[in-house]
């Protein structure tokens, strides 16, 4: 009897996903005094050290909702975009199960770049000019007369690899052919956008929304290209740091006024009660912030720098968002330090890579000033192996960005796996300017 009463009061959280972002979410939720048990589906080797991993893929919405119902999960938190785009929030709502994440219709902000652009146009949210094309011939005809550089974007989901900056007609034609004729990104390339290139500092702004209130996290900066100096192909993200000092209070106020508030208001006007993360990928231009893209979930690896700095209880924030009580959370509380994440990837990523490669040197002692978040790992203890393109994200926290990076790189240098690839210049866009020590 006593056991039953205790079970009734238990707060159980299910995190959906298998990457570094999900490891960071689980790591932070684990610190909540309100949470008694955390499951992660399917999780990875690092997550299994701090939560119970469940062998259900993130795309198996039926099995996830069955699991949440059977185990009386208090809150399910969805990491990746795919299940959101496929309607996991709608299915959980149908079954009266609590879930943090937007509906399928709302997730179109990320799952269709064209939907997002048209939404921004309807609601006067600043974004670079663009044109939409449904055939390669029309698109190629257009780029012959347009100004360079420009950005070619696949309409659908492409794991961060669907946008290409091109500087001449040949490169633009090749990008269009790869997306629309060779179908390298599958159905994501049914339609494309051609967008004007805008220059400036790029910043990721993630905010939690409950349909009425929007609560921004600290700004962070991702490093999308595979190689140093922002060269090479786009990846899911090779590193990040937070906060970004170039986002002044004045700029943040503008982002709230011209981007975040109008986004939430626009969604509401279109009948969408958005509960989840609104992630605006912004370019700060001389003409003000411009939205390059929306995502409908936490960023990866941005989450790996936000969670170690967040002092507020993440569970309370996410729960408040699912019950329209975000206004009562007030301001978020942060460590007044810097966090920097260096992603270690498999040789060949974002192209083809091997898995099952042995990993050594991952510290076993927990350290809140240097956390190793697992992205693509399997096995356990001294049998840790690679299982994905991005393998680990090492986040250092310290008084300055340079010191935070020094912590990350010291740990990275002790971790070994054959072909391990990582950028040695995370933070370079601000460090070369400020000489931050
Ligand atoms: N780091 C970029 C993203 O999460 O989409």
């Amino acid at each position: 009897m006593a056991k039953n009463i205790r079970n009734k009061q238990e707060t159980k959280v299910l995190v959906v996903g298998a990457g570094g972002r999900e490891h960071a979410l689980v790591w932070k939720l684990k610190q909540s005094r309100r949470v008694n048990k955390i499951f992660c589906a399917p999780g990875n080797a690092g997550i299994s050290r701090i939560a119970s991993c469940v062998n259900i893929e993130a795309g198996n919405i039926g099995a996830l909702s069955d699991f949440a119902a059977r185990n009386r999960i208090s809150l399910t938190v969805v990491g990746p975009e795919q299940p959101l785009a496929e309607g996991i929030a709608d299915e959980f709502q149908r079954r009266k199960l609590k879930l943090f994440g937007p509906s399928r219709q709302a997730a179109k902000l990320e799952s269709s770049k064209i939907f997002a652009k048209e939404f921004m146009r309807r609601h006067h949210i600043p974004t670079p000019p663009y044109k939409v094309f449904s055939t390669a011939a029309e698109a190629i005809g257009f780029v012959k007369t347009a100004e360079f550089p420009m950005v070619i974007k696949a309409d659908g989901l492409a794991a961060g690899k669907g946008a290409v900056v091109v500087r001449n007609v040949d490169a633009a034609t090749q990008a269009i052919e790869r997306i629309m004729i060779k179908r390298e990104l599958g159905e994501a390339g049914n339609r494309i956008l051609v967008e004007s290139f805008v220059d400036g500092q790029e910043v990721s702004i993630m905010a939690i929304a409950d349909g009425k209130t929007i609560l921004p996290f600290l700004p962070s900066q991702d490093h999308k290209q595979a190689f140093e100096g922002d060269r090479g192909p786009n990846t899911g993200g090779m590193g990040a740091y937070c906060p970004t000092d170039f986002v002044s209070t004045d700029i943040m106020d503008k982002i709230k006024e011209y981007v975040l508030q109008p986004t939430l208001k626009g969604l509401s006007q279109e009948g969408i009660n958005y509960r989840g993360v609104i992630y605006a990928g912004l370019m700060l231009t001389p003409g003000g912030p411009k939205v390059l893209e929306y995502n409908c979930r936490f960023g990866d690896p941005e989450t790996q720098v936000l969670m170690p700095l967040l002092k507020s209880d993440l569970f309370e924030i996410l729960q408040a968002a699912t019950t329209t009580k975000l206004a009562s959370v007030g301001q978020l509380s942060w460590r007044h330090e810097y966090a920097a994440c260096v992603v270690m990837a498999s040789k060949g990523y974002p192209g083809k890579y091997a898995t099952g490669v042995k990993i050594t040197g991952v510290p076993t002692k927990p350290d809140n000033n240097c956390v190793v978040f697992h992205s693509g790992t399997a096995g356990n203890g001294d049998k840790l192996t690679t299982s994905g393109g991005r393998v680990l994200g090492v986040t250092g926290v310290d008084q300055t960005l340079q010191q935070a990076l020094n912590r990350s790189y010291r740990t990275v240098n002790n971790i070994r796996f054959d072909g391990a690839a990582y950028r040695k210049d995370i933070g370079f866009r601000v460090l070369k300017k400020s000489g931050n020590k």
Side-chain angles (χ1 to χ4, degrees), residues 43-335:
N44 60 37
I47 296 173
S48 72
R49 291 179 187 168
I50 56 171
S52 297
C53 288
V54 183
N55 191 14
I56 306 174
E57 286 305 316
N60 193 344
I61 294 174
L64 290 168
S65 57
D66 285 346
F67 179 86
R70 206 170 47 244
N71 291 282
R72 294 200 166 86
I73 297 294
S74 317
L75 180 66
T76 296
V77 180
V78 183
E81 59 277 19
Q82 197 75 43
L84 293 165
E86 286 170 7
I88 190 170
D90 309 71
E91 176 61 9
F92 271 58
Q93 189 176 23
R94 192 185 68 74
R95 297 184 64 172
K96 299 197 169 30
L97 299 165
K98 284 263 178 273
L99 177 137
F100 176 78
S103 66
R104 180 190 181 119
Q105 176 63 13
K108 279 175 93 174
L109 275 187
E110 175 166 3
S111 64
S112 169
K113 306 295 170 223
I114 295 171
F115 172 89
K117 280 289 205 180
E118 289 170 350
F119 171 85
M120 286 186 267
R121 183 148 64 183
R122 285 195 291 281
H123 298 285
H124 313 289
I125 295 163
T127 187
Y130 67 100
K131 278 196 175 298
V132 174
F133 296 96
S134 308
T135 68
E138 282 171 322
I140 291 168
F142 172 74
V143 299
K144 284 183 180 151
T145 62
E147 265 181 49
F148 287 90
M150 64 174 67
V151 190
I152 312 278
K153 286 186 179 175
D155 179 44
L157 293 178
K161 294 160 210 159
V164 196
V165 178
V166 288
R167 299 188 183 275
N168 54 50
V169 176
D170 281 352
T173 305
Q174 273 171 32
I176 293 165
E177 285 176 353
R178 284 178 38 213
I179 297 172
M180 299 192 91
I181 296 175
K182 293 186 190 148
R183 294 285 169 158
E184 286 185 9
L185 304 172
E187 288 195 357
N190 285 353
R191 294 193 294 162
I192 61 164
L193 284 175
V194 178
E195 190 180 75
S196 298
F197 176 83
V198 284
D199 210 357
Q201 281 281 11
E202 212 172 323
V203 62
S204 304
I205 302 286
M206 269 164 270
I208 306 285
D210 70 356
K212 290 197 163 60
T213 302
I214 186 155
L215 195 58
F217 280 6
L218 290 177
S220 55
Q221 189 171 60
D222 187 15
H223 295 63
K224 291 199 172 75
Q225 280 86 5
F227 309 133
E228 274 129 41
D230 284 346
R231 289 173 304 107
N234 264 354
T235 68
M238 293 300 288
Y241 67 89
C242 172
T244 49
D245 291 340
F246 56 84
V247 180
S248 61
T249 310
D250 183 46
I251 293 176
M252 196 63 200
D253 287 345
K254 284 201 171 74
I255 293 171
K256 286 183 204 160
E257 185 179 346
Y258 297 114
V259 177
L260 297 181
Q261 300 290 359
T263 300
L264 192 62
K265 192 165 163 217
L267 287 163
S268 164
Q269 282 169 354
E270 298 196 8
I272 294 173
N273 189 21
Y274 196 105
R275 298 171 194 280
V277 176
I278 295 178
Y279 163 155
L282 299 171
M283 189 65 85
L284 303 182
T285 74
K290 305 243 185 282
V291 180
L292 301 183
E293 63 171 10
Y294 286 112
N295 294 317
C296 63
R297 36 83 196 167
F298 286 103
D300 187 341
E302 291 95 325
T303 308
Q304 291 91 307
V305 289
L306 285 168
M307 293 304 122
L309 293 181
L310 181 65
K311 288 209 293 200
S312 305
D313 185 317
L314 181 67
F315 175 76
E316 285 178 5
I317 300 165
L318 303 186
Q319 196 187 41
T322 58
T323 50
T324 327
K325 295 201 175 106
L326 209 47
S328 67
V329 167
Q331 288 303 307
L332 299 179
S333 168
W334 298 95
R335 282 172 72 171

